Amino acid sequence: MVTSTEHPSHEHPWGDADFVGGHPALDFLNTVADKGKTRVEEKLMQWRDMHAWAAAAGLLAPGDLKRFRQHAGLDGADELIGLRRFREDAYEAILDVTSGRGDGRAMDSLAVAIRDAIGRSTFAAFEGRFVWRPDGQTAWRWVDAVALAFEHLMRSDDLGRVRQCGRCTWFFVDRGRGAGRRWCDMRTCGNRAKVEAFRDR
Ligand SMILES: [Zn+2]
């Protein structure tokens, strides 16, 4: 694993501040942080970070998460690189879609990933409705699981309420009324923006 030597025993401590997106697909895009529009602070340093993130984010049904964890040997260094690459491609797609450019190359790639994920998944009953359940025994399983989250988001009314933070690159579903939410989190970007506005007066 590329990064395990840098952080042999430390895993990212996911907290409430990591889940401000309002949807697991957006929270997944927000596993990179920054203070500008740079996407430089990687939080998925090792597979354990992803496993812990998925549990906290509610990405998978509990039974599916357990099955994924039973086959942790499928999660290798190349797969982690692939998952991060998928995340950055999906980021470009959501950036395009929310800017009114829904027909770009990035969206084409995301559409292919979603179609492939569905092709490897089972359509099965879960808590009174039917959902796509990703195959936990392929090397693509985490990309599939996240791609299915995007499929869910992009078919929902929430898509029209997806906004990007005015300061960093995090996305969130704006469920508020009125002027609308400008920041991913008032505790971080909102406060920093206020301080900067005060300083610039
Ligand atoms: Zn922000």
Side-chain angles (χ1 to χ4, degrees):
M1 198 178 296
V2 175
T3 53
S4 62
T5 50
E6 296 163 33
H7 297 268
S9 60
H10 176 264
E11 80 183 38
H12 183 74
W14 303 106
D16 288 349
D18 291 301
F19 301 97
V20 298
H23 192 285
L26 299 180
D27 286 332
F28 179 69
L29 298 182
N30 299 349
T31 57
V32 180
D34 58 59
K35 294 178 182 68
K37 298 286 178 185
T38 52
R39 293 188 74 71
V40 291
E41 293 173 35
E42 178 62 66
K43 295 187 176 186
L44 296 179
M45 298 300 284
Q46 52 191 334
W47 274 112
R48 282 198 298 170
D49 296 330
M50 182 60 188
H51 295 174
W53 178 86
L59 179 71
L60 293 163
D64 289 341
L65 181 66
K66 196 172 160 208
R67 261 191 297 279
F68 269 49
R69 284 185 150 162
Q70 280 165 353
H71 299 278
L74 289 168
D75 301 333
D78 289 347
E79 283 72 23
L80 186 57
I81 291 166
L83 180 65
R84 291 195 200 121
R85 189 177 299 139
F86 168 76
R87 181 192 58 200
E88 296 313 295
D89 288 348
Y91 170 82
E92 293 297 332
I94 295 300
L95 199 57
D96 281 353
V97 167
T98 55
S99 314
R101 300 186 300 269
D103 54 356
R105 187 196 54 80
M107 188 56 232
D108 290 348
S109 309
L110 181 54
V112 169
I114 289 170
R115 195 181 59 200
D116 290 350
I118 288 174
R120 284 187 284 265
S121 298
T122 313
F123 196 52
F126 177 71
E127 294 183 350
R129 60 194 176 96
F130 275 74
V131 294
W132 290 108
R133 302 181 76 169
D135 181 354
Q137 298 193 43
T138 79
W140 300 100
R141 60 209 204 125
W142 289 105
V143 168
D144 285 355
V146 181
L148 292 171
F150 279 100
E151 190 266 353
H152 179 270
L153 171 68
M154 299 185 78
R155 276 191 306 102
S156 79
D157 293 339
D158 279 348
L159 185 65
R161 292 187 279 267
V162 173
R163 308 276 181 268
Q164 188 172 41
C165 178
R167 194 165 189 278
C168 72
T169 60
W170 281 19
F171 279 105
F172 55 86
V173 179
D174 183 5
R175 296 201 173 92
R177 296 162 189 244
R181 175 173 154 194
R182 292 176 63 196
W183 318 110
C184 62
D185 195 336
M186 274 315 295
R187 293 168 294 185
T188 55
C189 285
N191 265 321
R192 287 185 200 123
K194 265 201 286 188
V195 169
E196 283 160 9
F198 183 77
R199 198 181 55 206
D200 292 345
R201 281 198 306 192

